[in-house]
Amino acid sequence: MPADFKTIRYERPSEGVARIVLARPEMHNAQNPEMLYEINDAYYEAAMDDTVKVLVLAADGDNFSSGHDLAAPNWFECVPAGLWGGLEQPGAEGFFSLEHEVYLDMCWRWRNMPKPTIAAVQGKAIAGGLMLIWVCDLIVAAEDARFSDPVVAFGLNGHEYFVHPFEMGARKAKEMLFTAEAITAQEAEKLGMVNRVVPKADLEAEALALAERIARLPMMGLKMAKQSVNQALDAQGMWTTVQSAFSLHQLTHSHNMQVHGLPVEPSGIQFIKEQGRASR
Ligand code: ZN
């Protein structure tokens, strides 16, 4: 069993199935660096354990994840998992390196683990929360799930793992980004963004049953099926899209630094608060 995690749990709910559970419900599972590195360690654990065939990603509490924990300190106490380096360099060099290490590299590594992954989502999944879900192969959503990436309100182009057009189609991706509004589980199912919508009370059982069904199939077939679909997406330019959008994302951070002295547009916070009030 891996080291004691503080922000997640790593579980083995049944034969062939491992489950990562985000466990900061009091913070709506906001992702601090510690959580991102613990998720990364858990992915490694699941990848290297030959008795694990399918990985489920779930979350405690009412909301799957409110995104990155922007108030979190101590970025650099985590040992980098990638080779980008320069995380503490001043200016755009350090910022680019840091976001490459903790967001882009992590997401792309998780997306490319050959074993099948399933996200089980309830409540809100906002920006960085959506990144964790979109790297998974299958998505099971509770009826109350809401998906959004409102970071254009912060003067950014979208979150750091920019696969929106692949997940929702270009037109709906633009609508999500331009309006900063959430889409419902039902809309997401219609778009093919989630596989199935289930009553909230059944979410854990449904996701586990799906994982158990997949775990009955041969590992080699599963891995090559996953690779084949991912390669189809890559042939359509997914990785090129992610990298070029990440560069524009860094441009938006640099612009905000020059204009506002902050990596994000400050009025975005007020916008999101007002939007939250209106949608209640
Ligand atoms: Zn960013």
Side-chain angles (χ1 to χ4, degrees):
M1 222 42 190
D4 6 306
F5 292 126
K6 294 188 177 64
T7 64
I8 65 168
R9 291 193 307 281
Y10 182 81
E11 302 172 339
R12 294 297 306 271
S14 53
E15 194 183 337
V17 180
R19 183 167 58 204
I20 297 171
V21 184
L22 311 183
R24 292 183 89 202
E26 71 289 354
M27 300 288 291
H28 306 289
N29 296 309
Q31 302 158 33
N32 58 5
E34 190 173 22
M35 178 185 271
L36 291 168
Y37 281 89
E38 288 190 351
I39 295 169
N40 194 60
D41 289 346
Y43 263 87
Y44 269 109
E45 175 72 20
M48 298 306 157
D49 183 343
D50 289 342
T51 68
V52 172
K53 296 177 76 177
V54 182
L55 177 64
V56 175
L57 179 66
D60 285 339
D62 292 335
N63 294 303
F64 181 84
S65 174
S66 60
H68 300 139
D69 186 351
L70 301 176
N74 304 329
W75 287 101
F76 308 112
E77 286 182 10
C78 307
V79 178
L83 299 176
W84 200 264
L87 306 179
E88 294 179 277
Q89 291 300 306
E93 182 184 357
F95 209 88
F96 184 106
S97 303
L98 180 66
E99 293 212 337
H100 211 290
E101 157 71 21
V102 294
Y103 301 146
L104 185 54
D105 281 357
M106 294 273 192
C107 282
W108 196 244
R109 186 180 305 119
W110 301 337
R111 182 266 194 185
N112 287 321
M113 181 177 79
K115 295 178 182 179
T117 54
I118 303 171
V121 185
Q122 77 281 13
K124 291 180 181 170
I126 304 172
L130 202 48
M131 289 165 57
L132 294 190
I133 294 164
W134 278 352
V135 299
C136 291
D137 300 312
L138 306 179
I139 302 171
V140 181
E143 285 166 343
D144 74 340
R146 298 287 180 274
F147 305 90
S148 65
D149 182 15
V151 305
V152 174
F154 294 87
L156 309 175
N157 59 336
H159 61 49
E160 291 85 0
Y161 178 64
F162 199 95
V163 293
H164 309 57
F166 291 88
E167 295 288 346
M168 314 170 65
R171 211 166 296 284
K172 281 292 180 181
K174 287 174 182 168
E175 186 179 336
M176 175 188 266
L177 292 165
F178 293 175
T179 64
E181 286 174 358
I183 64 164
T184 64
Q186 295 74 18
E187 287 171 305
E189 187 180 30
K190 233 188 297 172
L191 294 169
M193 202 205 92
V194 309
N195 294 83
R196 49 187 83 169
V197 179
V198 301
K200 191 174 183 179
D202 300 339
L203 178 64
E204 182 178 331
E206 291 274 356
L208 186 57
L210 183 57
E212 288 168 347
R213 182 183 174 85
I214 293 168
R216 290 205 294 268
L217 273 58
M219 192 73 261
M220 182 62 176
L222 290 169
K223 284 180 174 174
M224 294 306 116
K226 173 165 179 171
Q227 284 298 96
S228 300
V229 177
N230 280 358
Q231 285 167 6
L233 293 168
D234 295 342
Q236 293 167 49
M238 189 189 242
W239 178 228
T240 306
T241 301
V242 169
Q243 288 180 99
S244 60
F246 183 80
S247 302
L248 295 179
H249 181 89
Q250 295 308 315
L251 177 68
T252 57
H253 278 314
S254 290
H255 172 78
N256 288 323
M257 281 302 292
Q258 288 175 50
V259 175
H260 305 293
L262 292 168
V264 296
E265 158 81 48
S267 65
I269 295 162
Q270 190 55 29
F271 177 88
I272 296 298
K273 274 189 193 154
E274 283 164 16
Q275 195 186 45
R277 272 198 291 275
S279 67
R280 236 173 263 151

